[in-house]
Amino acid sequence: MSFTIQQKRAAFRALHEQGCFLIPNPWDVGSALYLQSLGFKALASTSSGFAWSQGRPDGGVAREGVLEHLRTLVQATDLPVNADFEGGHAATPEGVAESVRMAVDTGVAGLSIEDSTGDREAPVRDLADAVARLRAARVAIDESGGDTLLVGRAENFIVGRADLPDTLARLKAYAEAGADCLYAPGIHTREQIVAVVQAVAPKPVNLLVGSASDLTLDDIAALGVRRVSVGGALARAAWSGLQRAARILQQEGRFDGFAGAASHPELNALFRR
């Protein structure tokens, strides 16, 4: 490792102070090293991408498996790693604090806590409960040195409750509770993005772009966003290549699904360390 954990965390915080940067989401060591080789300045884990690599649905990996995955990513790359830490892997604020302390110990430069419940009837937590959980995360980080970035996530749009006023109220509350960066996955229009940026200013905002978009990175930067992540989109792109090639093999007995596949020598060269 060329950089210490403290250096990675300092570099990660500096990225949020000005401009707009891309933070792609690898799902294993190989994808992390490839993204590092392209020159990205930071990485973020993806709960969905990692879960699929383990043959599980998003949210289906227990805390111990997630922590080991984060530790592996941190140790494999020189880049800062932000943890998609789902809901904190605990039912109570006290449990969230315990989980966050464990996540900080893996060496991650940042971590996010979301307010979704997994309950289809009530998919978003009561605001008071969500704030208490985020405050517990803030205290746990501060007691662990305070240099890990805390991201507060309002999940309204991504769980099918596209309520912008409630999303803004939640993000403001999370900012006041100690979140360093705010995130509302699922927003996508210019008007929604600007509303979120203005609501929590001057704190930075993360935007998820997980599908094809008319917006470019320059467009997004002009709207005031500090960082752009892609969630499980790269993992889904990889899965689509596998699915296409495998279906052609099984259904047609042909091998042209391998056209355009990555080069064996190039991959060996990338991972020969």
Side-chain angles (χ1 to χ4, degrees):
M1 185 186 301
S2 302
F3 300 96
T4 67
I5 296 300
Q6 289 69 32
Q7 287 172 324
K8 289 183 183 181
R9 289 173 175 166
F12 193 53
R13 282 190 170 273
L15 287 172
H16 292 76
E17 292 174 1
Q18 60 182 352
C20 180
F21 69 100
L22 284 165
I23 181 168
N25 303 70
W27 60 94
D28 62 9
V29 170
S31 56
L33 291 175
Y34 178 66
L35 293 170
Q36 174 177 279
S37 76
L38 293 180
F40 288 103
K41 297 180 180 179
L43 304 173
S45 70
T46 160
S47 63
S48 59
F50 175 58
W52 299 329
S53 76
Q54 303 301 300
R56 297 181 179 276
D58 189 11
V61 180
R63 182 174 71 178
E64 292 71 19
V66 171
L67 291 169
E68 182 56 33
H69 172 58
L70 294 175
R71 188 173 295 107
T72 299
L73 288 181
V74 169
Q75 292 175 352
T77 175
D78 289 332
L79 299 180
V81 174
N82 188 91
D84 175 353
F85 208 49
E86 303 175 68
H89 297 277
T92 65
E94 295 77 16
V96 170
E98 177 186 59
S99 295
V100 167
R101 285 191 289 270
M102 293 178 175
V104 171
D105 285 344
T106 68
V108 293
L111 62 89
S112 60
I113 300 293
E114 60 192 52
D115 59 8
S116 60
T117 64
D119 180 352
R120 292 184 179 180
E121 298 301 317
V124 183
R125 292 185 182 278
D126 174 81
L127 181 57
D129 180 34
V131 168
R133 294 163 65 85
L134 200 72
R135 283 179 176 154
R138 175 77 270 164
V139 170
I141 287 174
D142 290 345
E143 291 177 346
S144 300
D147 57 350
T148 303
L149 194 105
L150 176 61
V151 182
R153 291 178 47 149
E155 302 292 288
N156 303 59
F157 278 76
I158 207 166
V159 298
R161 300 293 175 91
D163 184 336
L164 184 60
D166 186 60
T167 298
L168 299 180
R170 286 174 176 273
L171 293 176
K172 289 178 183 178
Y174 301 160
E176 293 171 0
D180 300 300
C181 179
L182 289 307
Y183 183 13
I187 63 170
H188 63 280
T189 69
R190 292 172 184 268
E191 294 75 18
Q192 292 165 351
I193 296 167
V194 169
V196 166
V197 169
Q198 293 179 344
V200 301
K203 292 196 174 182
V205 167
N206 181 96
L207 179 68
L208 172 69
V209 183
S211 58
S213 174
D214 292 334
L215 295 174
T216 66
L217 184 62
D218 286 343
D219 294 332
I220 293 168
L223 298 176
V225 172
R226 282 277 185 264
R227 77 182 206 192
V228 180
S229 59
V230 299
L234 287 173
R236 289 188 288 109
W239 274 101
S240 71
L242 169 65
Q243 290 171 332
R244 177 179 177 275
R247 284 170 179 161
I248 290 174
L249 275 177
Q250 197 276 330
Q251 296 172 7
E252 304 177 30
R254 296 189 295 109
F255 305 92
D256 43 332
F258 301 145
S263 159
H264 185 281
E266 287 180 4
L267 290 174
N268 275 346
L270 172 65
F271 300 129
R272 189 172 289 119
R273 294 178 292 157

